[in-house]
Amino acid sequence: MIETVNKLEELLILTKEYISKASDAELNLKVSPEKWSKKEIIGHLIDSGINNIQRFTAVQIEKEPYRIIPMRQVELVQVNDYQNAEVEELLAFLISINMRVNNLMLLQNSQTLTTPIELYTEGNMSDLRYLMEDYVVHFEQHVNQ
């Protein structure tokens, strides 16, 4: 899990550096109405962090296997109106949530990491380790955008 934590920390540093150098115009640019701006991508990563903190903890206290419910990502970005939010607020929130995610990852052990989960569809099984590692993979995909 240390590698996953380190990777997330590295991605947060890259994100912070990029956002601090980017112009408002660049962060607000929407190449089409259906595509998210960079600010909306940051908002999506915030939503993902919120949802996954809940998942990472619920997996450990709810009846096994915990069933993952898909996140309504498009709707969340719209109702949170990230496009019109202050970038400083978004960045601070993103960093804060992911510090909590990192701390949750570091608290895990071999027993909790193998806690079973059901991914989105009945019978599609995995474990908490996969869920945590996949969170960082997802984060990295958006950072690379």
Side-chain angles (χ1 to χ4, degrees), residues 2-144:
I2 291 294
E3 287 178 27
T4 304
V5 167
N6 290 342
K7 182 65 173 181
L8 184 56
E9 288 173 355
E10 180 183 307
L11 292 168
L12 289 169
I13 291 167
L14 287 172
T15 301
K16 190 174 182 178
E17 288 174 357
Y18 174 81
I19 291 171
S20 67
K21 294 176 185 174
S23 68
D24 285 342
E26 182 179 354
L27 296 172
N28 285 308
L29 177 66
K30 290 177 70 87
V31 294
S32 74
E34 309 83 42
K35 298 285 185 182
W36 288 336
S37 68
K38 289 183 176 21
K39 277 174 66 175
E40 289 172 317
I41 291 170
I42 296 165
H44 167 65
L45 290 172
I46 289 168
D47 292 336
S48 180
I50 291 167
N51 275 277
N52 278 288
I53 285 171
Q54 190 278 329
R55 290 171 177 170
F56 297 163
T57 54
V59 163
Q60 299 175 67
I61 60 177
E62 299 293 335
K63 183 181 130 197
E64 292 182 14
Y66 180 77
R67 185 157 193 244
I68 301 297
I69 298 168
M71 190 174 96
R72 295 182 64 177
Q73 57 189 16
V74 172
E75 293 89 344
L76 286 168
V77 167
Q78 289 173 344
V79 299
N80 280 296
D81 193 25
Y82 292 120
Q83 183 66 15
N84 294 306
E86 293 294 325
V87 72
E88 295 81 11
E89 174 205 357
L90 296 179
L91 182 58
F93 199 10
L94 181 70
I95 300 296
S96 179
I97 285 170
N98 282 286
M99 289 174 64
R100 172 73 352 226
V101 167
N102 263 357
N103 287 334
L104 283 169
M105 288 179 178
L106 289 170
L107 290 170
Q108 305 316 305
N109 58 47
S110 59
Q111 181 180 352
T112 59
L113 288 169
T114 58
T115 304
I117 59 171
E118 188 172 6
L119 297 170
Y120 312 112
T121 58
E122 192 172 329
N124 188 10
M125 302 298 293
S126 194
D127 58 21
L128 181 57
R129 176 186 306 277
Y130 168 80
L131 195 62
M132 289 180 162
E133 290 173 348
D134 188 59
Y135 174 80
V136 176
V137 167
H138 169 256
F139 196 101
E140 183 173 29
Q141 288 170 342
H142 285 296
V143 168
N144 289 335

